[in-house]
Amino acid sequence: MAAEKYSMVKALNEALRRSLEADPKTLVMGEDVGRLGGVFRVTDGLHKDFGDARIIDTPLAESGIMGTAIGLALRGYRPVVEIQFDGFVYPAFDQIVTQLAKMHARALGHVKLPITVRIPFGGGIGAVEHHSESHETYFAHTAGLKVVSPSNPVDAHWMLRQAIASDDPVIFLEPKRRYWDKGVVDPLGEAALPLHAARVARAGKDLTLVAYGPMVKVCLEAAEAAAEDGHQIEVVDLRSLSPVDFDTLEASVKRTGRAVIVHEAPVFLGMGAELAARITERCFYSLEAPVLRVGGYFAPYPPSRVEETYLPDLDRVLDAVDRALAF
C-alpha cells in the first residue's frame, strides 16, 4: 500500500491492522470494538478479518476489561484495550495504577505486561458529561506507565504501532477532536522518531510554544498568526508525557529564551506545572521571561454549549505569547 492521505481514524485503524498481522498474540478488546467497529470506527473492519478470538467485544465493565487484559498479558498475549471514552476509564483506574503499573517492579523485572490502553481524550466534539476529560496527569504521575499522545495522523499511526510492540504498558491518548484531521501516511515506511521523542513542529527563535495532542494544531495556528506581526515562534510537540523528552525541550527554550505551555487540562497541577518547573531548573540563565501556562479552568468540564469558552483557543494562546514577549 503506497502512501496516501489518511484521517487519524484511518491511520489508527491501519496501525492496528498491521500490528495484528505482525503478531498472532496481539488482541484488540473493548466495548463495541468488534462488529460495530468502535464508536469512532477506529476498529472498523477488523472483526471481519480477524474474528471473535482476536477482536473481542467486552461487557460494559472497564475494571473487568483491564483485569482480563492483565491476565492475558501474563499468559503471553499482547492486548490492545480500548476505553470507549476518557471519562469511562475511572472504574479501571485501580487495575491500571495498582496492577498494570506495578507488576513489572513487583516481580523484580521477571514479568512484563505489554498492554496498550487506547483512550480517546479531550473535548471539542460537543459531547455530554464524562466524554471530554483530560486526565493525562493521573497516568503520567504513576511510575510504571508510559503515556503518549499523538497530534496528527502520521504520529498516530506510527506511535500506536510502536506502543503495541513495546513490552511496557502504554497509555495511548488519542485527541478525539483531531480524529478527522488528515495527513499523508505510508504504512510501509518507518517511524521518523522513537516513541518517546519530542519533535520540533515549527522552528522559530523568539519563543517556544509547548503542546501535545489536540493543542498542537492550535499552537501551530498561533505561530502562524504571530508571524504576521514579525514574531518567529517555535512549536514543540511533546508526543510523550511520560517519559518527557526534556533534552529537546531544553534545547528549544535555550534557543528562544521564552516558553508558553498549552494543554486542554486545567492549569492547576496540569502537565504544564511539571514542565514549567523543569524548564526553569534547566534553562534558568537562558530565560528572558517567566514560563507561562495556558489551559482549561479549574472546574468540571462544562456542558457542550459553553465548551469553546472553557477550551484554550487561538486568542488565549496569543495573549500568553504577547505577555511573554513583553518582558
Side-chain angles (χ1 to χ4, degrees):
M1 182 182 294
E4 57 181 282
K5 187 166 282 191
Y6 283 13
S7 67
M8 184 179 286
V9 166
K10 186 175 180 182
L12 291 165
N13 179 278
E14 185 66 22
L16 289 169
R17 179 176 296 280
R18 298 279 172 166
S19 297
L20 287 159
E21 290 172 346
D23 184 355
K25 291 288 189 178
T26 297
L27 311 172
V28 173
M29 55 193 297
E31 298 162 6
D32 297 321
V33 300
R35 288 174 173 82
L36 180 66
V39 293
F40 293 105
R41 300 300 186 264
V42 173
T43 57
D44 191 38
L46 298 181
H47 180 269
K48 176 176 67 70
D49 293 337
F50 296 97
D52 288 328
R54 299 187 66 194
I55 312 297
I56 304 166
D57 276 322
T58 66
L60 307 185
E62 285 78 11
S63 181
I65 296 169
M66 280 308 311
T68 301
I70 290 168
L72 285 165
L74 288 170
R75 297 293 293 177
Y77 290 91
R78 195 169 287 269
V80 183
V81 171
E82 177 181 301
I83 302 296
Q84 196 171 71
F85 281 93
D86 34 48
F88 299 176
V89 76
Y90 298 113
F93 196 72
D94 176 53
Q95 290 282 0
I96 293 172
V97 302
T98 65
Q99 306 299 335
L100 182 62
K102 292 180 171 59
M103 189 69 74
H104 184 66
R106 184 183 299 146
L108 302 178
H110 295 291
V111 171
K112 293 181 172 63
L113 293 180
I115 298 173
T116 301
V117 184
R118 293 181 42 247
I119 309 176
F121 89 117
I125 64 166
V128 297
E129 190 179 14
H130 309 308
H131 291 68
S132 301
E133 305 288 320
S134 295
H135 42 38
E136 55 267 30
T137 50
Y138 290 137
F139 301 114
H141 183 72
T142 303
L145 298 176
K146 303 295 178 68
V147 185
V148 300
S149 182
S151 66
N152 59 78
V154 177
D155 277 351
H157 178 85
W158 288 108
M159 290 171 69
L160 183 55
R161 289 174 68 170
Q162 290 169 315
I164 295 169
S166 170
D167 285 334
D168 295 315
V170 179
I171 307 297
F172 194 90
L173 300 171
E174 300 170 6
K176 66 173 88 75
R177 69 192 294 194
R178 305 300 175 212
Y179 269 160
W180 300 276
D181 291 359
K182 293 188 176 181
V184 177
V185 178
D186 181 5
L188 298 179
E190 295 182 355
L193 292 169
L195 178 59
H196 300 294
R199 71 181 180 96
V200 176
R202 178 184 175 119
K205 65 180 182 63
D206 297 326
L207 179 145
T208 299
L209 281 173
V210 184
Y212 53 86
M215 284 291 104
V216 173
K217 183 176 182 178
V218 176
C219 287
L220 289 169
E221 292 169 352
E224 188 68 31
E228 296 177 6
D229 294 327
H231 302 304
Q232 297 182 34
I233 306 299
E234 184 148 299
V235 179
V236 174
D237 180 356
L238 283 181
R239 302 172 76 248
S240 178
L241 310 185
S242 182
V244 174
D245 181 2
F246 285 112
D247 290 342
T248 297
L249 191 56
E250 177 184 353
S252 176
V253 176
K254 283 185 174 179
R255 282 195 301 272
T256 67
R258 293 174 171 83
V260 174
I261 303 161
V262 185
H263 50 64
E264 282 191 16
V267 170
F268 183 69
L269 290 181
M271 278 297 300
E274 176 65 22
L275 297 171
R278 291 294 189 103
I279 290 169
T280 302
E281 290 172 3
R282 297 176 67 154
C283 306
F284 184 78
Y285 292 106
S286 300
L287 288 173
E288 301 290 343
V291 180
L292 302 181
R293 293 173 289 159
V294 180
Y297 300 109
F298 192 46
Y301 197 90
S304 59
R305 67 180 177 273
V306 294
E307 71 174 344
E308 292 304 320
T309 302
Y310 175 89
L311 292 169
D313 60 8
L314 181 64
D315 289 338
R316 282 167 62 186
V317 175
L318 287 174
D319 177 70
V321 167
D322 288 343
R323 284 186 286 128
L325 291 172
F327 279 91

